[in-house]
Amino acid sequence: MTRALVVGGTRFIGRHTVGEFLDAGYDVTIFNRGNSENPFAGDDRVEHVEGDRTVEGELKRAALEVDPDVVVDCVAYHPGEVRVACEAFADADAYVYVSSGAAYGADRIPKREDETPLESCSAEQAVDDAYETYGPRKAEGDRAVREAATRGVNATSVRPPAVYGPHDYTERFDYWIDRIEHHDRVVVPGDGTNLRHLVYVGDVASAIRTVAEEGTPGEAYNVGDGHAPTLREWVELIAEACETTVEPVFAGPRELDAAELELADFPLYRAYPHLLSTAKLRSLGWRATDHETALAATVADHRDSDRTGRAEGPDRAAEERVLSILDTV
């Protein structure tokens, strides 16, 4: 049986990736520090090797101990880590680096893997941990993958935009579910036409397996929902999944400023449209999950969790101030 090694594997994308490979009949080993609760602790199909992937020797030890056919790297946040992994797993049939749509360095609609320029990355940015350098670091990791492929390493990348779904610890999507479930009216920043491509976490996991099995070494593959709703559409889709109704109330910069808020204070808002072309991934046979199915699972998990997302956006009191201002217009 084919063995997959998932670096990470217990929190969000990694957790779903483990499930994806198990469902496909793989033996799976996870490699991490053991700092997060292991949801597979009682599953004898999943082995756990404890170690710190930022320590070169420990990653190479995992490569020797597990001898994986497929490696999925969910937690490579610095390009140096990608280079070490490509060396450690050079003999694997596939190494898949989880990059990001943030790696793109130019606004294009849509962003295409082989056309849209990537972010540049300085030596200082490559070892930084700041949010502002996340995209440049992911882009440099993509370049490390492409360079490794020229040496014969079967390395590829997947580039998801913002990810939502069960076990999403970022709580960005939970903010909107919580608002819609608890209030009849919610403030939507701008005019509701804000476009930011998202992707269901189960589709990221299936894309990773598709690329591992069918991808071309050195290539990167965008992954995203089959349809990219506007923010207004997202509010309507979530309301349908929650089996409720809600009135989206649109607020521009002036109305928000009166409550000391900005457009970007709201989760998932993005000023310039962010849309990824997924044609290259689809050419491998991959298909996205429909929103009805994805949101049913996402809402069910939200209700079963203690996540609210309230800390990820404006508090309700500020939102009420905006609503009262708009009611007087």
Side-chain angles (χ1 to χ4, degrees):
M1 185 177 289
T2 304
R3 176 163 295 280
L5 173 66
V6 180
V7 184
T10 57
R11 296 195 69 190
F12 186 35
I13 293 175
R15 180 174 183 165
H16 287 268
T17 299
V18 170
E20 173 71 23
F21 278 89
L22 287 175
D23 289 345
Y26 285 70
D27 284 334
V28 180
T29 298
I30 56 177
F31 174 78
N32 57 38
R33 294 174 295 178
N35 292 345
S36 300
E37 181 180 356
N38 182 2
F40 306 103
D43 193 332
D44 59 11
R45 300 173 300 168
V46 181
E47 297 183 10
H48 179 212
V49 174
E50 188 169 317
D52 186 346
R53 68 86 34 78
T54 64
V55 178
E56 183 174 346
E58 294 191 19
L59 196 67
K60 291 184 175 180
R61 171 180 57 82
L64 292 172
E65 184 174 334
V66 179
D67 190 23
D69 301 289
V70 172
V71 179
V72 180
D73 201 343
C74 298
V75 290
Y77 299 118
H78 298 88
E81 296 167 356
V82 181
R83 294 189 183 96
V84 169
C86 285
E87 179 183 349
F89 302 110
D91 294 332
D93 293 336
Y95 166 81
V96 183
Y97 161 57
V98 180
S99 182
S100 170
Y104 288 110
D107 282 328
R108 300 284 189 274
I109 306 173
K111 296 178 173 70
R112 294 185 173 89
E113 299 93 335
D114 303 315
E115 297 179 17
T116 307
L118 297 181
E119 291 274 11
S120 60
C121 183
S122 68
E124 292 76 16
Q125 289 175 319
V127 295
D128 189 34
D129 289 314
Y131 171 80
E132 291 76 16
T133 62
Y134 176 77
R137 286 183 277 122
K138 283 295 187 180
E140 191 66 15
D142 280 328
R143 284 187 280 267
V145 163
R146 183 173 287 275
E147 193 277 330
T150 66
R151 304 194 311 270
V153 180
N154 292 320
T156 53
S157 303
V158 294
R159 292 182 187 144
V163 184
Y164 68 95
H167 312 297
D168 178 8
Y169 60 86
T170 72
E171 300 192 23
R172 293 172 296 191
F173 209 81
D174 290 290
Y175 170 89
W176 290 105
I177 298 174
D178 179 79
R179 278 288 193 270
I180 290 164
E181 286 217 292
H182 290 93
H183 303 285
D184 295 330
R185 306 171 77 207
V186 299
V187 172
V188 177
D191 61 3
T193 61
N194 168 248
L195 180 63
R196 181 172 184 170
H197 207 171
L198 305 182
V199 63
Y200 178 54
V201 66
D203 289 339
V204 179
S206 66
I208 288 169
R209 184 168 68 85
T210 297
V211 170
E213 295 174 346
E214 306 293 340
T216 300
E219 296 297 317
Y221 297 84
N222 291 336
V223 55
D225 280 355
H227 167 58
T230 62
L231 192 51
R232 175 176 186 159
E233 287 180 284
W234 272 120
V235 170
E236 294 168 347
L237 286 167
I238 294 169
E240 289 177 10
C242 293
E243 298 183 327
T244 189
T245 58
V246 66
E247 177 190 355
V249 181
F250 307 106
R254 180 185 300 178
E255 293 83 11
L256 293 176
D257 184 63
E260 299 182 344
L261 295 177
E262 299 179 359
L263 295 166
D265 290 336
F266 291 80
L268 305 180
Y269 178 85
R270 195 176 192 276
Y272 192 89
H274 184 55
L275 183 68
L276 305 182
S277 170
T278 60
K280 188 174 176 181
L281 179 61
R282 286 174 176 270
S283 71
L284 302 181
W286 174 89
R287 294 294 181 268
T289 303
D290 63 89
H291 281 128
E292 182 179 2
T293 301
L295 287 177
T298 303
V299 169
D301 175 74
H302 169 85
R303 290 170 173 170
D304 288 341
S305 75
D306 59 1
R307 302 188 311 271
T308 66
R310 294 172 191 173
E312 301 306 313
D315 62 36
R316 182 61 185 179
E319 190 178 29
E320 293 284 5
R321 290 197 295 273
V322 175
L323 291 171
S324 65
I325 291 167
L326 290 168
D327 286 341
T328 63
V329 175

